[in-house]
Amino acid sequence: MPNPASPSSNVTTDVVIIGGGVIGLEIARTLAQRGVKDVTVIERGRLGQEASYAAAGLLAPQAEADRADDFFRLACRSRDLYPDLAKSLLEETGIDIELDRTGTLYLAFADDELDEIERRYEWQTNAGLSVEKLTLADARALEPWISEAVHGALLFPQDIQVENRRLLKALIAANERLGVRFLTDTTVEFLNHEHGRVTGVATSRGLVSTRNVVLACGAWCNFIKTSEPQLQSVPIEPVRGQMVCLRAEPPLTRHVLYSPRGYLVPRRDGRLLAGSTTEHVGFEKQVTTAGVHSILSHALEIAPRITELPIVDTWSGLRPHAPDDLPVIGRSHDIEGLVYATGHYRNGILLAPITADLIAEAIAGNVQPDLLAPFAPDRFSLVA
Ligand SMILES: Cc1cc2nc3c(=O)[nH]c(=O)nc-3n(C[C@H](O)[C@H](O)[C@H](O)COP(=O)(O)OP(=O)(O)OC[C@H]3O[C@@H](n4cnc5c(N)ncnc54)[C@H](O)[C@@H]3O)c2cc1C
């Protein structure tokens, strides 16, 4: 199949995926692998340059979890798909997505935080999950740079990390090999439907006809208009996250270091990522003095010696957030052929493999997987 960067004339395709972030790219790959012949990803700008590029790459559902709910189970299942995903992408593309399985060290600095990690340790141990309790001495034996003010720590050996920018590169290459069509610098403006069924999308460069559309456009989902009857409202809003990138050569830490206020993520090339902020400021992507100040103060609390390290980069991204903090994944109940895959908020990198699996099952197998029930898009109209 030809792979044009933009449509010069109208295109017909089996599935349109709106948005070329980690969610759209992983869905496209999975659909193509499951035999859907003609998949088109439409991306407003360049592929993989928004939230998915800004992320820290943590695959850490256990570190912050206080119970085993539907979301926790979904997140753990997705995390556990990563080793196979990394292996497959290496075979398909030759790109190593740098899945690092050293684990995550969660640090407590005050008595109430110590109580919190104690409770987390208890329930996760009782649930048969892998977690170890460490004293300051244990933790410093693992990571000598952490602060002496640490009261205690949990080690989560299965909470791992991935180099999300390499993941995006690998997903793009894998899709190209599978013949997925990319229409970049092309904005989807309108979703067309007739008699309750998707018929296509109107883009800034022409019409694309299709019977299946996946909304994977992250924080921007609500900008896509429809003809009457209007779509149910899925209230996705952007939540800005800023990041600061330091350079630590030789590396300062092997584990991801996590506190209730921030984290430090070591990358193989000597970068050390410090994150993040959670800001409701609309579609504003600036990096601010206040943001950098807050990230660095939380990073310094974790490892005071980072004062010696140079700052080599800063950036920000817009997380797609639904009011109940949960992802929005599944078929529309208003329009046949329309599927949502958004609202992944702080966990889109983590949730990409399971989202893609379940969406592919929904489209290629024409079923609604049970696992998706708690994340269905119609939960907002039900509440209203
Ligand atoms: C600072 C920060 C740190 C994070 N850390 C982590 C982490 O450690 N672990 C984790 O799991 N998650 C993390 N996240 C969250 C994660 O990045 C997101 O949940 C995930 O990237 C969402 O992926 P997406 O594909 O839905 O969105 P995006 O990557 O934003 O992609 C959406 C795409 O849709 C395109 N688009 C929008 N509208 C249109 C349109 N009308 N037509 C065509 N294209 C359109 C956009 O241009 C964009 O490329 C972090 C996020 C931030 C900001």
Side-chain angles (χ1 to χ4, degrees), residues 58-338:
L58 304 180
L59 311 173
Q62 283 180 238
E64 285 187 322
D66 289 320
R67 64 188 167 278
D69 54 14
D70 292 322
F71 177 78
F72 179 74
R73 283 185 281 275
L74 187 81
C76 288
R77 271 183 72 159
S78 200
R79 176 195 63 188
D80 298 342
L81 293 172
Y82 259 96
D84 280 350
L85 176 64
K87 192 164 164 270
S88 305
L89 285 173
L90 185 63
E91 283 163 13
E92 289 162 43
T93 68
I95 297 171
D96 177 359
I97 64 170
E98 294 183 3
L99 188 69
D100 185 305
R101 301 215 232 172
T102 312
T104 296
L105 205 52
Y106 189 100
L107 309 173
F109 288 87
D111 287 346
D112 58 331
E113 292 169 12
L114 206 54
D115 293 345
E116 190 183 349
I117 67 169
E118 184 66 45
R119 284 194 297 275
R120 204 165 286 160
Y121 174 77
E122 288 280 313
W123 89 257
Q124 294 202 7
T125 307
N126 291 337
L129 296 161
S130 177
V131 50
E132 291 165 37
K133 194 157 51 174
L134 307 182
T135 61
L136 169 62
D138 300 332
R140 289 196 99 209
L142 283 180
E143 293 292 357
W145 278 48
I146 60 171
S147 165
E148 286 180 22
V150 166
H151 280 37
L154 295 181
L155 173 63
F156 297 96
Q158 289 175 357
D159 271 2
I160 53 182
Q161 61 134 323
V162 66
E163 214 302 32
N164 44 294
R165 294 180 181 179
R166 291 184 71 89
L167 170 65
L168 290 163
K169 215 169 141 191
L171 289 174
I172 293 168
N175 277 310
E176 279 169 344
R177 285 193 61 224
L178 287 160
V180 168
R181 182 194 280 118
F182 289 139
L183 304 181
T184 53
D185 296 313
T186 306
T187 304
V188 173
E189 290 163 348
F190 222 80
L191 176 80
N192 296 326
H193 56 95
E194 274 172 29
H195 310 299
R197 164 103 226 170
V198 164
T199 55
V201 292
T203 78
S204 52
R205 302 198 183 214
L207 286 176
V208 179
S209 301
T210 185
R211 287 171 65 76
N212 295 288
V213 168
V214 181
L215 278 178
C217 38
W220 295 268
C221 277
N222 290 341
F223 287 104
I224 296 172
K225 301 182 192 73
T226 55
S227 46
E228 292 296 332
Q230 288 290 319
L231 280 178
Q232 73 201 21
S233 166
V234 173
I236 298 295
E237 57 148 4
V239 177
R240 183 170 69 189
Q242 302 186 40
M243 297 281 286
V244 177
C245 179
L246 312 171
R247 180 158 293 282
E249 278 167 331
L252 172 147
T253 164
R254 291 180 309 114
H255 296 80
V256 170
L257 302 180
Y258 215 110
S259 86
R261 288 161 288 283
Y263 52 76
L264 284 168
V265 184
R267 287 280 153 82
R268 277 189 207 168
D269 62 2
R271 283 176 303 146
L272 181 66
L273 312 188
S276 178
T277 58
T278 303
E279 302 166 272
H280 297 257
V281 291
F283 290 89
E284 178 53 67
K285 271 182 46 180
Q286 263 173 356
V287 172
T288 64
T289 315
V292 171
H293 177 264
S294 121
I295 291 167
L296 289 179
S297 62
H298 298 147
L300 280 160
E301 182 189 35
I302 292 173
R305 280 181 59 194
I306 62 163
T307 43
E308 296 163 19
L309 304 180
I311 296 175
V312 292
D313 201 358
T314 58
W315 62 81
S316 83
L318 301 176
R319 309 177 184 96
H321 176 244
D324 56 7
D325 296 344
L326 296 176
V328 181
I329 318 172
R331 289 173 178 278
S332 158
H333 288 251
D334 297 339
I335 301 179
E336 212 184 327
L338 177 64

